[in-house]
Amino acid sequence: MEKTYSIKEVADYFNLPISTIRYYDKKGLLPFVSKNDTGYRVFSESDFGFIKTICRLKDTGMPIKDIKTYIDLCMQGTSTIGQRKQMLQRHKANVLKQQQLLTNSLKEIDTKISRYDSKDSFNLITAQIKFVQHEKKGLKLRDPFIRDPFI
Amino acid sequence: MEKTYSIKEVADYFNLPISTIRYYDKKGLLPFVSKNDTGYRVFSESDFGFIKTICRLKDTGMPIKDIKTYIDLCMQGTSTIGQRKQMLQRHKANVLKQQQLLTNSLKEIDTKISRYDSKDSFNLITAQIKFVQHEKKGLKLRDPFIRDPFI
DNA sequence: CATTGCCCTGAACTATGGTTTAGGGTTTAA
DNA sequence: TTAAACCCTAAACCATAGTTCAGGGCAATG
């Protein structure tokens, strides 16, 4: 006979707090989970597959409402295959866009790092500060840099 | 003479709501922005550089508190170059980890898409449903699939 | 057969990152 | 010189994603 699992076992397996699993259930993400006659949640092997999918969608930033929509489609059987596919394809497109933004932003941050990393960093930053101070002064704006008390 | 900019001009340039810029200011992210004698924020050209950095850090998921810490370091002059470098390097490591997770999760989602996309999808999903139903039945657990009213 | 460890619910609470509203002053262009 | 377009603050409000707490019931082990 196949085994069943308690909420703690599932939580440990997926490295999630028990409270999160309860929260997901309350939000309707776990319609496939049964309860026994004393009200305890009873997880089966196949539930792990669904939960894994939920985790992947969560890890890629899908909102809980949308995950619920997806899971609900899954529970409606083969007639929703087209909708599910469309959801995942749209989501994939979003993730790719997000990855692109991340990559581009990181490139700019990397540029900053290499400036800080260069032998010349002190002079570069000093010049930057001087430039800002000159510009602010020309506009009669407050100098934003904090006076070093030791100089 | 160099130009100054209003909050609306900055908001339009960065494609941010004005309320977000005020919120960032309240959170201490914009210590370099001056105010004129009627209390209006006055932005200079060089402020755009700082704000661009803030946007890059935000786009890569740095929390606002940490962005404030970074900007505060910037305002303290050359003595903080090492700390700033360290912050960005740590942040970069986090972003790379996040990108890795995203990539791996997306790969699994892609596998699902291709299953939905295959000619055989109907049979695959049908088999999956049958498997779950069989397993749940063996464990005397409720069948989670919704009965199709047209069959 | 009691104690320890689990499990449950509902409701309150938290953190984050904003947005909206109320009430009021400023600038600009006709 | 007045209306429209801006600007300000403080405070309330919102959504999202959980976490914590109070109060109480089951399970298993010594």
Side-chain angles (χ1 to χ4, degrees):
Chain A
M1 183 61 101
E2 296 99 341
K3 194 186 169 338
T4 61
Y5 302 85
S6 71
I7 194 170
K8 188 182 176 8
E9 290 175 298
V10 174
D12 289 348
Y13 181 86
F14 286 102
N15 238 310
L16 291 171
I18 289 177
S19 64
T20 299
I21 295 181
R22 291 213 184 99
Y23 171 74
Y24 287 172
D25 196 7
K26 189 169 2 186
K27 287 290 165 176
L29 263 53
L30 313 179
F32 44 82
V33 176
S34 307
K35 292 197 179 178
N36 66 19
D37 44 2
T38 57
Y40 287 26
R41 289 175 187 82
V42 177
F43 297 79
S44 70
E45 206 82 53
S46 63
D47 293 343
F48 282 65
F50 286 118
I51 297 174
K52 186 180 158 191
T53 299
I54 290 169
C55 290
R56 286 321 130 238
L57 294 175
K58 195 197 62 156
D59 287 345
T60 50
M62 184 183 280
I64 283 190
K65 265 184 193 174
D66 295 3
I67 298 178
K68 173 176 163 44
T69 301
Y70 177 79
I71 294 291
D72 285 344
L73 288 174
C74 289
M75 293 308 143
Q76 280 164 49
T78 53
S79 63
T80 61
I81 290 176
Q83 285 165 271
R84 296 189 227 172
K85 187 172 87 176
Q86 203 179 46
M87 269 199 86
L88 294 192
Q89 281 171 338
R90 276 199 228 282
H91 178 58
K92 178 183 173 179
N94 289 340
V95 175
L96 290 176
K97 221 182 290 174
Q98 170 62 17
Q99 278 183 319
Q100 199 51 58
L101 177 65
L102 216 56
T103 301
N104 292 340
S105 300
L106 192 57
K107 211 177 295 172
E108 294 187 43
I109 290 171
D110 238 343
T111 305
K112 266 200 175 305
I113 291 176
S114 65
R115 253 200 291 271
Y116 286 138
D117 222 5
S118 95
K119 247 187 162 162
D120 216 23
S121 64
F122 181 86
N123 294 324
L124 288 167
I125 306 299
T126 301
Q128 190 205 7
I129 292 172
K130 289 230 164 89
F131 175 83
V132 172
Q133 286 176 327
H134 175 260
E135 186 210 46
K136 295 275 186 186
K137 196 169 181 182
L139 294 164
K140 289 170 184 172
L141 299 176
R142 181 183 50 77
D143 177 351
F145 292 102
I146 295 159
R147 279 242 156 282
D148 187 335
F150 295 109
I151 295 186
Chain B
M1 183 61 100
E2 295 100 342
K3 194 184 171 339
T4 61
Y5 301 85
S6 71
I7 193 170
K8 187 182 177 6
E9 289 174 299
V10 174
D12 289 348
Y13 181 86
F14 286 102
N15 241 308
L16 292 171
I18 288 176
S19 65
T20 299
I21 296 181
R22 292 212 183 100
Y23 171 73
Y24 287 173
D25 196 7
K26 186 168 6 183
K27 289 289 167 178
L29 264 54
L30 314 179
F32 44 83
V33 176
S34 307
K35 292 197 180 177
N36 66 20
D37 44 4
T38 57
Y40 286 27
R41 289 175 187 82
V42 178
F43 296 80
S44 70
E45 207 80 54
S46 62
D47 294 342
F48 282 65
F50 287 117
I51 297 174
K52 187 181 157 191
T53 298
I54 290 169
C55 289
R56 286 321 128 237
L57 294 175
K58 195 198 60 155
D59 287 344
T60 51
M62 184 183 280
I64 284 191
K65 265 184 192 175
D66 295 3
I67 299 179
K68 173 175 164 44
T69 301
Y70 177 78
I71 293 290
D72 285 345
L73 289 174
C74 289
M75 292 310 145
Q76 281 166 48
T78 53
S79 63
T80 62
I81 289 175
Q83 284 166 270
R84 295 189 228 172
K85 188 173 86 175
Q86 202 178 47
M87 270 199 86
L88 294 192
Q89 280 171 338
R90 275 199 229 281
H91 179 57
K92 179 184 171 178
N94 288 341
V95 175
L96 290 176
K97 220 182 292 175
Q98 169 62 17
Q99 278 184 320
Q100 201 51 59
L101 177 64
L102 216 56
T103 300
N104 292 340
S105 300
L106 192 57
K107 210 177 294 172
E108 294 188 43
I109 290 170
D110 238 343
T111 305
K112 267 200 174 304
I113 290 176
S114 66
R115 253 199 291 271
Y116 286 138
D117 222 5
S118 96
K119 249 188 160 161
D120 215 23
S121 63
F122 181 85
N123 294 325
L124 289 167
I125 306 299
T126 301
Q128 191 204 5
I129 292 172
K130 288 231 164 87
F131 176 82
V132 173
Q133 285 175 328
H134 176 260
E135 186 211 44
K136 295 275 185 186
K137 197 170 180 181
L139 294 164
K140 289 170 184 174
L141 299 175
R142 182 183 50 77
D143 177 352
F145 293 103
I146 295 160
R147 277 243 157 281
D148 186 336
F150 296 109
I151 294 184

